[in-house]
Amino acid sequence: MTQETVLTNARIVLPTEVIEGSLVLRDGRIADISQGGSAAAGAQDCEGDYLCPGLIELHTDNLERHMTPRPKVDWPHRAAILAHDRELAGTGITTVFDAIRVGSIVSSSSRRYGKYARQMADEILEMREAGVLKISHHIHLRAEICSETLVEEMAEFGPADKIGIVSLMDHTPGQRQFRDLGKFKDYVCGKHGMSDEGFDEYRDFLYGLQARLGTAHESAAVAAAKRYGATLASHDDTTAEQVDKSHLQGVRIAEFPTTVEAAEACHRQGIATIMGAPNLVRGGSHSGNVAARELAEGDRLDILSSDYVPAALMQGALILNEIWGDLPRALATVTANPARHVGLEDRGVLEVGRRGDLMRFATLGHHPVVKSVWVQGARVS
């Protein structure tokens, strides 16, 4: 039976322009886009609000926040997945790549963080198959190079899992995100309540891990991404040399480069640059690295990620609109650009025949107000 929704009196954000008109969703797809109003029976008046594609999130730690709402609290995973799913739907995100850590430390009780990736992926995939999730979920494996069990954990996945992204994450102190050891110490001690002596021991432990296993782990993660058919991403590139190495490894996306030098190198190599929307909203990086605004003003920002605040994704896009004075271009950083760089050709733009993933929003000052969200033509928020 045909299911149809007609939305009229809307400002429709197309790839290169904004028009005033109407949009028809039919059987999960965009069936028509036209200028002017619609007299169709049951047409929904959008009252001049914007319609844009549903947002696409490539890297978010939000699921982990629901899994561990307090230190040492392990919340039931299915409940965490549902809460995460509903939160994202409410912010206009219709496609998410859930970032799941692979690579654990199991040899030391004081530094231990255990394996969970295979179980979590199974639970997400099972819930997706059962149809209980409101939005489209994909798997992003965050490969922790500075760990003990990365190779074994990545061997638990294969092409049948349809892994979307593998990112190479090396959080060894003194480089990349944490070049400033003081910032790393503040982060670790603040998060885990670690003493000065405990921090020194932990830092030296990580140095030893990276020296012993780092090269082998990086090679294994790159090989696994190829085996899965996943998009390969780098993380926290700092120097042009690191970017050049990423390019040789087949990296297509650079998550959160920490310097202008690295962002410029990514541009030369044709690697898309992702920056954190919270960085843009806050006006700077919490780790003391390059500001997202600086890269935006230098035309070196391609994609935004909500990172650890889902609502920041749309807010960040509106800030980019203020910087660039181009709403379609700004929204492309959270819709068309991420879709294209991970091979999702059926979404990310409002075009006849594409998936009916879209959002209705207004603005309150500089802030987005999400009114309604549809996924495959069905309203989910």
Side-chain angles (χ1 to χ4, degrees):
M1 187 174 179
T2 299
Q3 294 183 338
E4 183 174 278
T5 299
V6 180
L7 305 170
T8 191
N9 188 22
R11 285 181 282 182
I12 302 173
V13 184
L14 300 176
T16 60
E17 62 179 335
V18 180
I19 66 170
E20 296 183 6
S22 304
L23 183 148
V24 179
L25 297 170
R26 184 179 301 128
D27 294 335
R29 298 277 170 176
I30 299 172
D32 185 64
I33 299 173
S34 59
Q35 291 189 314
S38 172
Q44 300 179 28
D45 185 356
C46 291
E47 302 176 332
D49 291 340
Y50 291 97
L51 289 179
C52 74
L55 310 186
I56 297 174
E57 174 57 69
L58 299 187
H59 178 120
T60 174
D61 302 332
N62 191 59
L63 177 55
E64 292 185 350
R65 181 173 65 82
H66 284 282
M67 288 167 51
T68 311
R70 291 288 188 273
K72 300 181 181 179
V73 172
D74 184 18
W75 203 250
H77 287 180
R78 285 178 173 81
I81 294 166
L82 286 172
H84 163 67
D85 173 72
R86 271 54 175 175
E87 181 180 0
L88 267 57
T91 65
I93 296 170
T94 55
T95 298
V96 61
F97 286 72
D98 291 315
I100 302 173
R101 170 182 51 78
V102 280
S104 307
I105 292 176
V106 297
S107 65
S108 169
S109 59
S110 63
R111 308 180 185 98
R112 180 184 179 89
Y113 53 88
K115 295 171 55 177
Y116 76 101
R118 181 68 262 182
Q119 178 187 353
M120 178 58 69
D122 286 341
E123 289 171 325
I124 292 171
L125 296 174
E126 288 167 6
M127 294 174 77
R128 187 176 73 182
E129 185 67 22
V132 299
L133 301 177
K134 287 182 176 290
I135 71 173
S136 177
H137 287 256
H138 302 259
I139 304 298
H140 173 165
L141 295 181
R142 297 168 51 240
E144 286 288 355
I145 304 303
C146 192
S147 67
E148 295 176 327
T149 64
L150 180 61
V151 175
E152 305 96 285
E153 290 190 47
M154 297 205 80
E156 296 175 351
F157 294 88
D161 294 303
K162 298 181 179 178
I163 304 300
I165 301 171
V166 171
S167 55
L168 307 174
M169 309 189 70
D170 188 348
H171 287 116
T172 307
Q175 59 160 12
R176 296 184 179 262
Q177 181 181 2
F178 292 113
R179 285 183 300 161
D180 184 334
L181 279 174
K183 292 283 187 181
F184 180 70
K185 183 175 182 178
D186 289 345
Y187 174 80
V188 170
C189 293
K191 185 174 182 179
H192 301 291
M194 195 174 287
S195 67
D196 288 348
E197 181 179 315
F199 170 78
D200 290 342
E201 292 178 359
Y202 180 60
R203 178 200 60 208
D204 293 343
F205 173 77
L206 293 180
Y207 284 154
L209 266 186
Q210 210 281 341
R212 182 162 49 91
L213 299 172
T215 300
H217 279 183
E218 188 172 277
S219 297
V222 171
K226 292 178 181 178
R227 180 165 56 90
Y228 306 152
T231 297
L232 185 64
S234 62
H235 194 80
D236 298 327
D237 288 319
T238 300
T239 66
E241 289 77 17
Q242 288 173 344
V243 174
D244 291 343
K245 181 179 180 181
S246 294
H247 176 66
L248 292 174
Q249 290 170 326
V251 164
R252 292 169 53 191
I253 298 172
E255 299 180 333
F256 319 132
T258 66
T259 62
V260 173
E261 176 190 341
E264 291 286 356
C266 287
H267 183 73
R268 289 194 300 272
Q269 296 287 12
I271 298 172
T273 297
I274 297 181
M275 291 300 288
N279 180 322
L280 199 57
V281 172
R282 294 178 65 252
S285 163
H286 75 278
S287 301
N289 296 316
V290 69
R293 175 178 282 271
E294 183 176 355
L295 296 191
E297 291 173 344
D299 197 24
R300 294 295 180 263
L301 190 160
D302 302 302
I303 298 170
L304 281 181
S305 162
S306 70
D307 199 5
Y308 56 95
V309 183
L313 195 58
M314 189 60 189
Q315 191 173 355
L318 291 188
I319 293 172
L320 289 179
N321 179 45
E322 294 174 11
I323 295 171
W324 293 335
D326 186 336
L327 184 60
R329 179 188 176 192
L331 284 173
T333 66
V334 295
T335 57
N337 295 354
R340 181 173 70 254
H341 283 95
V342 294
L344 294 179
E345 300 178 356
D346 61 347
R347 68 198 78 182
V349 297
L350 298 185
E351 184 178 87
V352 172
R354 301 286 185 123
R355 275 174 57 119
D357 294 0
L358 65 153
M359 172 176 60
R360 172 187 171 186
F361 73 96
T363 58
L364 180 63
H366 301 297
H367 300 283
V369 180
V370 177
K371 298 285 192 72
S372 305
V373 180
W374 292 264
V375 173
Q376 290 189 288
R379 185 172 174 180
V380 298
S381 179

